[in-house]
Amino acid sequence: MTGEELSVLYVGGLGRSGSTLIDRVLGQTPGVCSVGELVFLWDRALSANELCGCGDPFDECPFWKEVGVVAFGGWDRIDPRAIQAWQRRVDRNRYVPSMLVPPLAPSYRRRLEPYAEAVGRIYKAIAEVTGARVIVDSSKHASTAAMLRHVPGIRPRIVQLFRDPHGVAWSWSKTVERPDATDGVSLMARVGPARIAARWQGYNALLALVRSPGAALRYEDFVAHPEPATRRLLALVGLEPEALPQFVGPRTVRLDVDHTVAGNPLRFRTGDIEIRADEEWRRRMPASRRALVSALSFPSTAIYGYPR
Ligand SMILES: [Zn+2]
Protein backbone atom coordinates (compact mmCIF):
# COMPACT_ATOMS: atom_id res chain seq x y z
CA MET A 1 0.00 0.00 0.00
CA THR A 2 1.17 3.47 -0.84
CA GLY A 3 -0.80 5.58 1.61
CA GLU A 4 -3.93 5.23 -0.49
CA GLU A 5 -7.09 4.38 1.37
CA LEU A 6 -7.86 0.70 1.65
CA SER A 7 -11.25 -0.30 0.26
CA VAL A 8 -13.18 -3.37 1.31
CA LEU A 9 -15.62 -4.56 -1.34
CA TYR A 10 -18.05 -6.61 0.69
CA VAL A 11 -20.47 -9.05 -0.92
CA GLY A 12 -23.65 -9.43 1.13
CA GLY A 13 -26.45 -11.86 0.42
CA LEU A 14 -28.05 -15.12 1.38
CA GLY A 15 -25.86 -18.22 0.86
CA ARG A 16 -26.08 -20.06 -2.50
CA SER A 17 -26.57 -16.83 -4.42
CA GLY A 18 -23.29 -16.99 -6.35
CA SER A 19 -21.15 -15.00 -3.92
CA THR A 20 -18.11 -17.30 -4.14
CA LEU A 21 -18.08 -17.03 -7.93
CA ILE A 22 -18.38 -13.25 -7.89
CA ASP A 23 -15.81 -12.93 -5.11
CA ARG A 24 -13.28 -14.95 -7.11
CA VAL A 25 -13.91 -13.20 -10.43
CA LEU A 26 -13.33 -9.85 -8.70
CA GLY A 27 -10.25 -11.19 -6.95
CA GLN A 28 -8.39 -11.85 -10.21
CA THR A 29 -8.25 -8.11 -10.96
CA PRO A 30 -4.78 -6.54 -10.51
CA GLY A 31 -4.67 -4.66 -7.19
CA VAL A 32 -7.58 -6.66 -5.77
CA CYS A 33 -7.30 -9.51 -3.28
CA SER A 34 -10.10 -11.96 -2.50
CA VAL A 35 -10.17 -13.54 0.96
CA GLY A 36 -13.51 -15.36 0.85
CA GLU A 37 -15.71 -15.25 3.95
CA LEU A 38 -13.45 -13.52 6.44
CA VAL A 39 -16.16 -13.64 9.10
CA PHE A 40 -15.12 -17.29 9.64
CA LEU A 41 -11.42 -16.50 10.23
CA TRP A 42 -11.51 -16.98 14.01
CA ASP A 43 -13.60 -20.11 13.92
CA ARG A 44 -13.09 -22.24 10.80
CA ALA A 45 -9.58 -21.03 9.96
CA LEU A 46 -7.77 -20.29 13.24
CA SER A 47 -9.64 -22.64 15.60
CA ALA A 48 -10.71 -25.55 13.35
CA ASN A 49 -7.71 -25.22 10.97
CA GLU A 50 -9.84 -25.85 7.87
CA LEU A 51 -8.30 -25.61 4.42
CA CYS A 52 -7.29 -22.31 2.87
CA GLY A 53 -8.45 -21.81 -0.74
CA CYS A 54 -4.89 -22.65 -1.80
CA GLY A 55 -5.46 -26.21 -0.48
CA ASP A 56 -3.12 -25.99 2.52
CA PRO A 57 -4.44 -26.35 6.05
CA PHE A 58 -4.79 -22.81 7.35
CA ASP A 59 -1.82 -23.05 9.73
CA GLU A 60 0.46 -24.16 6.88
CA CYS A 61 -0.54 -21.50 4.35
CA PRO A 62 2.41 -19.12 3.85
CA PHE A 63 0.09 -16.24 2.93
CA TRP A 64 -1.91 -16.38 6.16
CA LYS A 65 1.24 -16.96 8.23
CA GLU A 66 2.57 -13.67 6.95
CA VAL A 67 -0.73 -11.90 7.55
CA GLY A 68 -0.67 -13.14 11.17
CA VAL A 69 2.85 -11.82 11.68
CA VAL A 70 2.01 -8.39 10.23
CA ALA A 71 -1.30 -8.10 12.10
CA PHE A 72 -0.34 -9.40 15.55
CA GLY A 73 3.30 -10.51 15.48
CA GLY A 74 2.07 -14.08 14.80
CA TRP A 75 -1.23 -15.90 15.32
CA ASP A 76 0.13 -17.41 18.53
CA ARG A 77 -0.03 -13.94 20.11
CA ILE A 78 -3.83 -13.90 20.03
CA ASP A 79 -6.59 -16.16 21.29
CA PRO A 80 -8.96 -16.73 18.34
CA ARG A 81 -11.67 -18.21 20.57
CA ALA A 82 -11.68 -15.10 22.74
CA ILE A 83 -11.97 -12.89 19.64
CA GLN A 84 -14.75 -15.13 18.33
CA ALA A 85 -16.56 -14.58 21.62
CA TRP A 86 -16.27 -10.80 21.10
CA GLN A 87 -17.60 -11.32 17.56
CA ARG A 88 -20.65 -13.22 18.84
CA ARG A 89 -21.48 -10.40 21.22
CA VAL A 90 -21.42 -7.62 18.58
CA ASP A 91 -21.89 -9.07 15.08
CA ARG A 92 -25.64 -9.71 15.31
CA ASN A 93 -28.52 -8.73 13.10
CA ARG A 94 -30.34 -7.19 16.04
CA TYR A 95 -27.59 -4.57 16.31
CA VAL A 96 -27.78 -3.48 12.66
CA PRO A 97 -30.04 -0.47 13.37
CA SER A 98 -27.73 0.86 16.09
CA MET A 99 -24.64 0.30 13.90
CA LEU A 100 -26.27 2.30 11.11
CA VAL A 101 -27.45 5.20 13.23
CA PRO A 102 -24.70 6.37 15.58
CA PRO A 103 -24.03 7.38 18.25
CA LEU A 104 -23.55 3.86 19.53
CA ALA A 105 -24.77 3.09 23.03
CA PRO A 106 -21.70 3.31 25.31
CA SER A 107 -21.97 -0.32 26.47
CA TYR A 108 -22.23 -1.57 22.88
CA ARG A 109 -19.34 0.64 21.77
CA ARG A 110 -17.14 -0.81 24.50
CA ARG A 111 -17.85 -4.32 23.22
CA LEU A 112 -17.53 -3.41 19.54
CA GLU A 113 -14.29 -1.44 19.61
CA PRO A 114 -11.79 -4.22 20.42
CA TYR A 115 -13.38 -6.53 17.86
CA ALA A 116 -13.49 -3.86 15.14
CA GLU A 117 -9.86 -3.03 15.89
CA ALA A 118 -8.82 -6.68 15.42
CA VAL A 119 -10.70 -6.89 12.11
CA GLY A 120 -9.06 -3.65 10.96
CA ARG A 121 -5.63 -5.12 11.68
CA ILE A 122 -6.42 -8.15 9.53
CA TYR A 123 -7.50 -6.07 6.54
CA LYS A 124 -4.46 -3.79 6.84
CA ALA A 125 -2.13 -6.77 7.09
CA ILE A 126 -3.68 -8.39 3.98
CA ALA A 127 -3.17 -5.14 2.08
CA GLU A 128 0.43 -4.92 3.25
CA VAL A 129 1.26 -8.53 2.38
CA THR A 130 -0.38 -8.42 -1.07
CA GLY A 131 0.03 -4.78 -2.08
CA ALA A 132 -3.68 -4.76 -2.89
CA ARG A 133 -5.71 -1.58 -2.34
CA VAL A 134 -9.02 -3.42 -2.58
CA ILE A 135 -9.95 -6.49 -0.52
CA VAL A 136 -12.99 -8.53 -1.52
CA ASP A 137 -14.77 -10.06 1.46
CA SER A 138 -17.78 -12.26 0.70
CA SER A 139 -18.84 -12.85 4.32
CA LYS A 140 -22.45 -12.23 3.23
CA HIS A 141 -24.00 -11.38 6.62
CA ALA A 142 -25.82 -8.03 6.90
CA SER A 143 -24.57 -7.45 10.44
CA THR A 144 -20.93 -7.91 9.41
CA ALA A 145 -21.52 -5.44 6.59
CA ALA A 146 -22.94 -2.87 9.00
CA MET A 147 -20.05 -3.41 11.40
CA LEU A 148 -17.51 -2.48 8.71
CA ARG A 149 -18.56 1.17 9.17
CA HIS A 150 -16.90 0.99 12.57
CA VAL A 151 -13.68 -0.77 11.49
CA PRO A 152 -10.79 1.70 11.55
CA GLY A 153 -8.63 2.31 8.45
CA ILE A 154 -10.94 0.99 5.75
CA ARG A 155 -13.49 2.36 3.29
CA PRO A 156 -16.25 -0.25 2.99
CA ARG A 157 -18.46 -0.64 -0.07
CA ILE A 158 -21.36 -3.03 0.47
CA VAL A 159 -22.85 -5.01 -2.42
CA GLN A 160 -26.31 -6.55 -2.01
CA LEU A 161 -26.30 -9.73 -4.08
CA PHE A 162 -29.58 -11.50 -4.60
CA ARG A 163 -30.83 -14.40 -6.63
CA ASP A 164 -34.27 -15.75 -7.52
CA PRO A 165 -35.40 -17.35 -4.22
CA HIS A 166 -36.50 -20.50 -6.08
CA GLY A 167 -32.93 -21.07 -7.23
CA VAL A 168 -31.63 -20.33 -3.73
CA ALA A 169 -34.15 -22.70 -2.10
CA TRP A 170 -33.38 -25.45 -4.62
CA SER A 171 -29.67 -25.14 -3.94
CA TRP A 172 -30.19 -25.33 -0.15
CA SER A 173 -32.26 -28.51 -0.61
CA LYS A 174 -29.42 -30.38 -2.32
CA THR A 175 -26.72 -32.56 -0.82
CA VAL A 176 -23.41 -30.82 -1.47
CA GLU A 177 -20.03 -32.09 -0.31
CA ARG A 178 -17.94 -29.75 1.73
CA PRO A 179 -14.23 -30.49 1.27
CA ASP A 180 -13.01 -27.74 3.63
CA ALA A 181 -12.14 -29.74 6.74
CA THR A 182 -8.62 -31.09 7.16
CA ASP A 183 -9.97 -34.44 8.40
CA GLY A 184 -12.15 -35.30 5.40
CA VAL A 185 -15.26 -34.40 3.47
CA SER A 186 -18.49 -33.41 5.23
CA LEU A 187 -21.77 -32.06 3.86
CA MET A 188 -22.96 -28.47 3.49
CA ALA A 189 -26.03 -27.57 5.57
CA ARG A 190 -29.45 -28.32 4.05
CA VAL A 191 -32.41 -26.09 4.83
CA GLY A 192 -36.05 -26.46 3.72
CA PRO A 193 -37.75 -24.11 1.23
CA ALA A 194 -40.08 -22.39 3.69
CA ARG A 195 -37.22 -21.34 5.96
CA ILE A 196 -35.14 -20.22 2.99
CA ALA A 197 -37.97 -18.10 1.59
CA ALA A 198 -38.34 -16.39 4.99
CA ARG A 199 -34.59 -15.91 5.32
CA TRP A 200 -34.48 -14.51 1.77
CA GLN A 201 -36.94 -11.79 2.76
CA GLY A 202 -35.19 -11.02 6.04
CA TYR A 203 -31.65 -10.92 4.62
CA ASN A 204 -32.63 -8.75 1.71
CA ALA A 205 -34.59 -6.31 3.87
CA LEU A 206 -31.51 -5.83 6.10
CA LEU A 207 -29.05 -5.69 3.21
CA ALA A 208 -31.15 -3.05 1.47
CA LEU A 209 -30.48 -0.89 4.55
CA VAL A 210 -26.72 -1.43 4.64
CA ARG A 211 -25.78 -1.60 0.95
CA SER A 212 -23.86 1.21 -0.72
CA PRO A 213 -25.63 3.41 -3.30
CA GLY A 214 -25.84 1.72 -6.70
CA ALA A 215 -24.59 -1.59 -5.29
CA ALA A 216 -27.50 -3.98 -5.78
CA LEU A 217 -26.64 -6.94 -8.02
CA ARG A 218 -28.83 -9.73 -9.33
CA TYR A 219 -27.04 -13.07 -9.70
CA GLU A 220 -28.95 -13.63 -12.96
CA ASP A 221 -27.62 -10.35 -14.41
CA PHE A 222 -24.08 -11.21 -13.35
CA VAL A 223 -24.07 -14.60 -15.05
CA ALA A 224 -25.74 -13.19 -18.19
CA HIS A 225 -23.16 -10.40 -18.61
CA PRO A 226 -20.26 -11.15 -16.27
CA GLU A 227 -17.70 -8.69 -17.59
CA PRO A 228 -19.83 -5.51 -17.48
CA ALA A 229 -21.18 -6.60 -14.07
CA THR A 230 -17.61 -7.04 -12.79
CA ARG A 231 -16.70 -3.58 -14.07
CA ARG A 232 -19.69 -2.08 -12.33
CA LEU A 233 -18.63 -3.62 -9.01
CA LEU A 234 -15.03 -2.49 -9.42
CA ALA A 235 -16.22 1.07 -10.15
CA LEU A 236 -17.74 1.10 -6.64
CA VAL A 237 -14.19 1.10 -5.26
CA GLY A 238 -12.86 3.52 -7.87
CA LEU A 239 -11.27 0.92 -10.14
CA GLU A 240 -11.75 1.31 -13.88
CA PRO A 241 -9.10 -0.96 -15.43
CA GLU A 242 -8.70 -0.93 -19.20
CA ALA A 243 -8.52 -4.70 -19.40
CA LEU A 244 -9.75 -7.42 -17.08
CA PRO A 245 -7.18 -10.19 -17.60
CA GLN A 246 -9.38 -12.82 -15.92
CA PHE A 247 -11.84 -12.72 -18.85
CA VAL A 248 -10.18 -14.98 -21.40
CA GLY A 249 -13.51 -15.22 -23.24
CA PRO A 250 -16.81 -13.34 -22.91
CA ARG A 251 -18.07 -15.99 -20.48
CA THR A 252 -14.83 -17.70 -19.50
CA VAL A 253 -12.74 -16.63 -16.53
CA ARG A 254 -9.27 -17.79 -15.56
CA LEU A 255 -8.92 -18.34 -11.82
CA ASP A 256 -5.57 -18.26 -10.08
CA VAL A 257 -5.08 -19.52 -6.51
CA ASP A 258 -6.91 -17.42 -3.89
CA HIS A 259 -6.25 -17.70 -0.17
CA THR A 260 -9.91 -17.77 0.82
CA VAL A 261 -11.03 -18.49 4.37
CA ALA A 262 -14.40 -20.08 3.55
CA GLY A 263 -17.00 -20.26 0.80
CA ASN A 264 -18.54 -22.89 -1.43
CA PRO A 265 -16.33 -25.60 -3.01
CA LEU A 266 -15.68 -23.34 -6.03
CA ARG A 267 -13.11 -21.60 -3.86
CA PHE A 268 -10.67 -24.47 -4.51
CA ARG A 269 -10.98 -24.35 -8.32
CA THR A 270 -8.25 -22.93 -10.51
CA GLY A 271 -7.91 -22.62 -14.27
CA ASP A 272 -10.55 -21.65 -16.82
CA ILE A 273 -14.21 -21.93 -15.92
CA GLU A 274 -17.24 -21.05 -17.96
CA ILE A 275 -19.78 -18.82 -16.26
CA ARG A 276 -23.31 -19.98 -16.85
CA ALA A 277 -26.58 -19.59 -14.99
CA ASP A 278 -27.41 -22.43 -12.61
CA GLU A 279 -31.09 -22.84 -13.51
CA GLU A 280 -31.52 -26.47 -12.54
CA TRP A 281 -34.48 -25.53 -10.30
CA ARG A 282 -36.54 -24.61 -13.39
CA ARG A 283 -36.37 -28.23 -14.56
CA ARG A 284 -36.29 -30.17 -11.32
CA MET A 285 -38.01 -28.29 -8.53
CA PRO A 286 -41.46 -29.78 -7.80
CA ALA A 287 -44.37 -27.42 -8.54
CA SER A 288 -45.66 -27.57 -4.96
CA ARG A 289 -42.31 -26.46 -3.57
CA ARG A 290 -42.08 -23.71 -6.15
CA ALA A 291 -45.51 -22.44 -5.19
CA LEU A 292 -44.53 -22.45 -1.52
CA VAL A 293 -41.41 -20.38 -2.19
CA SER A 294 -43.38 -18.01 -4.46
CA ALA A 295 -46.01 -17.43 -1.78
CA LEU A 296 -43.54 -16.95 1.08
CA SER A 297 -41.20 -14.61 -0.77
CA PHE A 298 -43.89 -12.37 -2.26
CA PRO A 299 -44.04 -9.33 -2.44
CA SER A 300 -40.27 -8.89 -2.04
CA THR A 301 -39.72 -10.86 -5.23
CA ALA A 302 -41.76 -8.28 -7.15
CA ILE A 303 -39.65 -5.47 -5.65
CA TYR A 304 -36.47 -7.22 -6.80
CA GLY A 305 -37.73 -7.80 -10.32
CA TYR A 306 -38.67 -11.48 -10.22
CA PRO A 307 -42.05 -12.15 -11.85
CA ARG A 308 -44.35 -14.37 -9.85
ZN1 LIG B 1 -3.54 -20.22 1.36
Side-chain angles (χ1 to χ4, degrees), residues 198-303:
R199 261 189 221 178
W200 191 94
Q201 298 236 44
Y203 265 62
N204 281 304
L206 274 180
L207 282 165
L209 296 176
V210 299
R211 76 164 182 239
S212 301
L217 174 67
R218 275 164 46 119
Y219 160 80
E220 292 81 4
D221 293 339
F222 180 87
V223 293
H225 305 288
E227 189 169 349
T230 302
R231 287 186 175 281
R232 196 159 70 81
L233 294 175
L234 292 171
L236 294 170
V237 286
L239 288 184
E240 291 174 2
E242 264 179 39
L244 288 176
Q246 63 268 51
F247 283 94
V248 293
R251 321 188 50 78
T252 308
V253 283
R254 185 160 293 168
L255 301 179
D256 202 348
V257 171
D258 289 317
H259 298 282
T260 49
V261 163
N264 88 4
L266 176 68
R267 74 190 182 95
F268 298 109
R269 287 272 298 275
T270 56
D272 292 359
I273 65 157
E274 201 199 326
I275 297 179
R276 54 188 169 77
D278 176 0
E279 302 270 82
E280 188 189 56
W281 68 271
R282 290 185 189 277
R283 300 187 304 277
R284 299 196 47 204
M285 194 172 191
S288 58
R289 237 194 277 172
R290 264 194 220 206
L292 178 69
V293 172
S294 297
L296 293 177
S297 49
F298 189 83
S300 300
T301 35
I303 296 167

Side-chain angles (χ1 to χ4, degrees), residues 52-54 56 61 63-64 259:
C52 175
C54 68
D56 283 341
C61 167
F63 167 81
W64 284 108
H259 298 282

Side-chain angles (χ1 to χ4, degrees), residues 143-173:
S143 56
T144 310
M147 193 210 64
L148 293 187
R149 297 179 180 220
H150 302 280
V151 170
I154 64 160
R155 192 175 69 128
R157 287 292 177 269
I158 313 298
V159 177
Q160 179 188 6
L161 170 68
F162 50 91
R163 177 184 179 190
D164 188 312
H166 302 90
V168 178
W170 178 248
S171 179
W172 277 97
S173 73

Side-chain angles (χ1 to χ4, degrees), residues 48-97:
N49 198 32
E50 290 195 345
L51 299 180
C52 175
C54 68
D56 283 341
F58 187 83
D59 68 356
E60 289 173 25
C61 167
F63 167 81
W64 284 108
K65 251 184 215 168
E66 211 180 327
V67 169
V69 169
V70 172
F72 301 107
W75 296 118
D76 55 352
R77 303 285 188 87
I78 59 160
D79 176 356
R81 289 187 198 280
I83 299 179
Q84 195 192 342
W86 299 347
Q87 178 186 34
R88 279 206 209 98
R89 286 198 299 265
V90 297
D91 188 349
R92 295 278 182 187
N93 281 342
R94 63 173 175 272
Y95 297 130
V96 168

